[in-house]
Amino acid sequence: MDAVSRRLLKELRDYRRERTAAALTVASLGPVSDSDLMLWQAAILGSQGTAYEGGRFDLDIAVPPSYPMQPPTIRFVGRVCHPNVHFKTGEICLDLLKTAWSPAWTLQSACFAIGALLTSPEPDSPLNCDAANLLRCGDTRGYDSLVRMCTLVHAVPSTSEVVEAERKARRT
Amino acid sequence: MSVSSPVSPPGSLTLANSATASPVTLTPWEDSAGDEKRCWICFVEEGEDRNPGAAVQPPSVWVRPCKCKNSLKYTHEDCLLRWISEKQHQLPPPLSSGFSGAQPVRCPACAHPYQLIEDTDGVLNVLAWLDKAIGTVVPYVSLGTVSLAVYVVATTYGAYAVMTMCGADVGETLLSDNNWGWRTWVGLPTIPLSLVCSRLTAADAALPLLPFLILGNDHIRLGFPPSPALTVCILPWARLLYNAVWERVTPLFDRFFDPPPRYGALSGPPASARTSFFATARQYWRILVSGRDDEGRRLRAAGEEDEEDDGAGNGRDRDDEVPRRDGQRLVLGSLFLPAAAQISGTLLVSLPFLRARLPADTFHRNIVCGAILVVAKDIAAVVYRAHRRRQKRSRRVLDYRGD
């Protein structure tokens, strides 16, 4: 087993063993399939009391072969309304995922940092100009309602989906 | 070097406050701050196989490179060296520092610069210095080479133009070793440049003076017929004069080849069926003198865009009326002028009628033929434009008669 897989397995074990404060944000984290350790999936929850509350945001994580020397590539799967997240591609603008990466970070802490980025946007380096402009104009009310609508439409599991999931769970 | 501190992702207030974002407090093994060593890069603990299954284990040299404690205290030396070279690869070496290494890499958490020891020797220093010196010089050398190439091409073209315009015999004398001085080095590459500039208005102020500066006093003698040097000096002035006259005359040509449509009683006085010759002549004279016709409309000169559009139905579209003035046409057209002049000179002189009237020496014959060519080309452009406009005005939409 190579060093990358070993480290990833350790990260996974650490995540499963210790549900720390970060677990409140990072709802799930793990490889997509058992055969490929280099592709992970995560879900972060919008924190309470913010416009993202109630949302569950899925993340795609691609681990480079040179991990942990190079940062993982993380993007949102669904649509997220945020100044530093590309609305269509889900690309995330966060220095931690580019220049500020250090091997001391883990996939879990990176996801946690993305969760923290949701509530503390940086409108001066925007990937989503519309959202950033609202913030730059000081229209926090408009920004909040836009974010809330986007979260409701794209990130909150609808009732029918929940019912369907429960029915499936009962059957199995 | 911007310290890559995991504690502060980009300008996020709450994130900076919530110190939980730092892996120092996040990582779960922090509590177990016992004696066991765990590499903060590869997460392998002391006593664990670093490469299970392999016969040869990499040497596990533990180092404590910075001030960090707990989970960030220990690391494998080879892991840290890989990380340091990764960071050095990202950061360009600063100009001021020596050749031996780049900026010191700092610990991403405590910003302590890692202290490295490496072997240096004289050969390496010399080679590194050479490497850097070459890297500095290369851009300038390549820039110089490119400009030299352009210069050589321009000079060659200039020599070609001289040979074409003066004929082989005179040209060879002119370009012989005896006459080859700094004026030649400067003058020959100026020829293509000024040919191109002659098609633009940008260098109008400089062109008339250029021949005097380059040719020098020795060659310019007043007299008739003018010496070739004097002709070259006169040419730019002749060009300015021609341009000025042409600007005045073009509206006349436009009017002649393409009389304005008459709108009957709708606009202006009702036109009689036959305009008398004198009325037409007076009209033309007014246009020539003032640039305006009887109704006070400014008439456009050649190639000039019509800013003030007169009336509704008469608006000019910008598509195909004015021949496009693009750079390729302009450069190629001006550079082909000597060749075209020489060819037309040879053709014209073969007519016995013209042979007696054209200047005897090749240079002046070619100059005259070039001038004729320029005038002919301008007239052709006007005729072409007028016909295009007329064609456009004749455009009608056919009714559909299929059913």
Side-chain angles (χ1 to χ4, degrees):
Chain A
M1 201 189 318
D2 60 320
V4 183
S5 309
R6 282 167 67 81
R7 169 158 165 155
L8 287 172
L9 280 181
K10 281 185 181 253
E11 283 190 30
L12 186 61
R13 208 171 56 214
D14 287 339
Y15 172 75
R16 289 196 175 146
R17 194 169 50 198
E18 314 250 351
R19 308 303 299 257
T20 52
L24 284 178
T25 301
V26 186
S28 75
L29 177 72
V32 177
S33 72
D34 290 341
S35 56
D36 189 3
L37 263 180
M38 308 306 269
L39 283 179
W40 288 47
Q41 258 176 346
I44 55 178
L45 303 177
S47 32
Q48 305 278 315
T50 67
Y52 295 96
E53 180 178 351
R56 182 188 164 95
F57 304 95
D58 289 326
L59 292 169
D60 253 358
I61 306 176
V63 183
S66 50
Y67 185 81
M69 300 302 160
Q70 300 259 322
T73 311
I74 306 185
R75 61 173 199 91
F76 281 103
V77 180
R79 304 230 150 153
V80 180
C81 177
H82 188 276
N84 308 111
V85 178
H86 197 286
F87 192 66
K88 291 200 174 130
T89 63
E91 187 194 338
I92 302 167
C93 178
L94 184 63
D95 66 345
L96 149 68
L97 298 177
K98 285 158 187 139
T99 53
W101 172 256
S102 125
W105 287 90
T106 62
L107 295 184
Q108 185 194 354
S109 56
C111 291
F112 182 73
I114 291 171
L117 174 75
L118 282 187
T119 47
S120 50
E122 179 49 65
D124 286 333
S125 57
L127 279 175
N128 181 347
C129 293
D130 299 322
N133 281 339
L134 275 179
L135 271 187
R136 273 190 278 200
C137 296
D139 187 4
T140 47
R141 178 188 290 233
Y143 172 77
D144 275 351
S145 56
L146 184 67
V147 167
R148 196 164 286 125
M149 187 199 78
C150 253
T151 308
L152 278 175
V153 171
H154 296 295
V156 176
S158 65
T159 325
S160 57
E161 279 172 348
V162 173
V163 169
E164 185 65 27
E166 272 177 10
R167 193 177 297 155
K168 211 178 268 177
R170 213 171 294 147
R171 233 178 273 147
T172 56
Chain B
M1 166 191 174
S2 68
V3 177
S4 51
S5 145
V7 193
S8 57
S12 46
L13 292 171
T14 51
L15 190 55
N17 293 338
S18 65
T20 37
S22 153
V24 183
T25 50
L26 240 187
T27 42
W29 59 91
E30 180 216 339
D31 312 325
S32 57
D35 289 338
E36 76 268 30
K37 294 176 179 172
R38 174 164 168 160
C39 170
W40 62 267
I41 294 180
C42 70
F43 285 15
V44 170
E45 286 158 29
E46 189 173 27
E48 206 177 342
D49 281 352
R50 290 192 70 192
N51 196 358
V56 185
Q57 294 290 322
S60 301
V61 182
W62 291 90
V63 289
R64 195 241 162 149
C66 61
K67 294 182 272 188
C68 289
K69 294 204 171 70
N70 297 332
S71 65
L72 292 177
K73 190 170 180 182
Y74 293 108
T75 179
H76 290 120
E77 187 175 31
D78 51 339
C79 288
L80 186 65
L81 285 176
R82 267 179 64 208
W83 168 243
I84 288 175
S85 19
E86 180 73 30
K87 286 307 275 186
Q88 276 177 338
H89 194 66
Q90 290 171 9
L91 305 165
L95 293 174
S96 54
S97 81
F99 302 106
S100 57
Q103 225 167 334
V105 176
R106 291 164 184 275
C107 167
C110 72
H112 179 79
Y114 293 127
Q115 304 294 323
L116 303 175
I117 316 170
E118 52 190 15
D119 292 341
T120 53
D121 57 65
V123 178
L124 178 66
N125 280 343
V126 170
L127 290 180
W129 183 85
L130 267 180
D131 184 35
K132 178 153 187 180
I134 290 173
T136 319
V137 166
V138 157
Y140 298 101
V141 172
S142 54
L143 186 69
T145 313
V146 169
S147 357
L148 191 68
V150 170
Y151 176 80
V152 166
V153 168
T155 313
T156 314
Y157 176 85
Y160 156 78
V162 168
M163 296 290 281
T164 312
M165 289 304 280
C166 300
D169 301 337
V170 185
E172 269 175 24
T173 326
L174 273 179
L175 297 176
S176 67
D177 287 342
N178 303 336
N179 290 327
W180 197 279
W182 68 268
R183 294 187 191 280
T184 332
W185 285 116
V186 178
L188 286 186
T190 326
I191 291 177
L193 193 67
S194 39
L195 273 178
V196 173
C197 285
S198 72
R199 296 284 295 270
L200 305 166
T201 50
D204 270 3
L207 278 185
L209 299 176
L210 209 56
F212 292 105
L213 290 175
I214 292 176
L215 289 175
N217 286 333
D218 302 343
H219 303 282
I220 305 173
R221 290 273 176 278
L222 288 179
F224 194 84
S227 68
L230 186 62
T231 312
V232 171
C233 292
I234 293 174
L235 269 180
W237 298 94
R239 166 182 167 267
L240 284 183
L241 182 70
Y242 172 73
N243 281 352
V245 169
W246 182 255
E247 199 174 336
R248 275 295 163 86
V249 170
T250 314
L252 284 191
F253 276 112
D254 278 351
R255 177 62 66 106
F256 178 76
F257 287 114
D258 180 34
R262 309 195 176 280
Y263 290 109
L266 277 179
S267 70
S272 59
R274 284 185 306 116
T275 330
S276 74
F277 173 76
F278 288 110
T280 316
R282 199 176 62 230
Q283 170 90 334
Y284 279 19
W285 176 248
R286 281 183 59 112
I287 294 171
L288 189 61
V289 170
S290 65
R292 289 174 183 276
D293 69 359
D294 278 345
E295 287 138 47
R297 286 186 308 218
R298 168 100 169 79
L299 290 169
R300 56 181 169 273
E304 187 182 333
E305 281 296 326
D306 203 352
E307 291 291 330
E308 31 189 326
D309 201 356
D310 45 6
N314 209 9
R316 287 206 308 148
D317 297 359
R318 23 184 316 113
D319 46 7
D320 46 9
E321 291 200 6
V322 182
R324 277 175 301 134
R325 300 191 52 151
D326 58 310
Q328 289 177 28
R329 250 179 212 230
L330 192 143
V331 171
L332 282 186
S334 51
L335 294 186
F336 269 120
L337 186 59
Q342 193 235 356
I343 291 172
S344 59
T346 317
L347 286 180
L348 289 185
V349 91
S350 63
L351 304 173
F353 167 74
L354 284 170
R355 184 178 298 170
R357 282 164 177 77
L358 282 172
D361 71 307
T362 323
F363 179 73
H364 283 106
R365 193 181 69 210
N366 287 342
I367 289 284
V368 169
C369 289
I372 293 175
L373 272 183
V374 169
V375 175
K377 177 231 154 204
D378 283 349
I379 292 178
V382 167
V383 173
Y384 178 53
R385 197 169 59 234
H387 279 260
R388 287 302 284 264
R389 212 176 300 145
R390 195 184 297 164
Q391 181 199 36
K392 188 160 186 196
R393 205 179 303 131
S394 73
R395 197 182 277 178
R396 295 289 179 272
V397 178
L398 272 185
D399 278 337
Y400 179 65
R401 297 190 189 282
D403 44 358

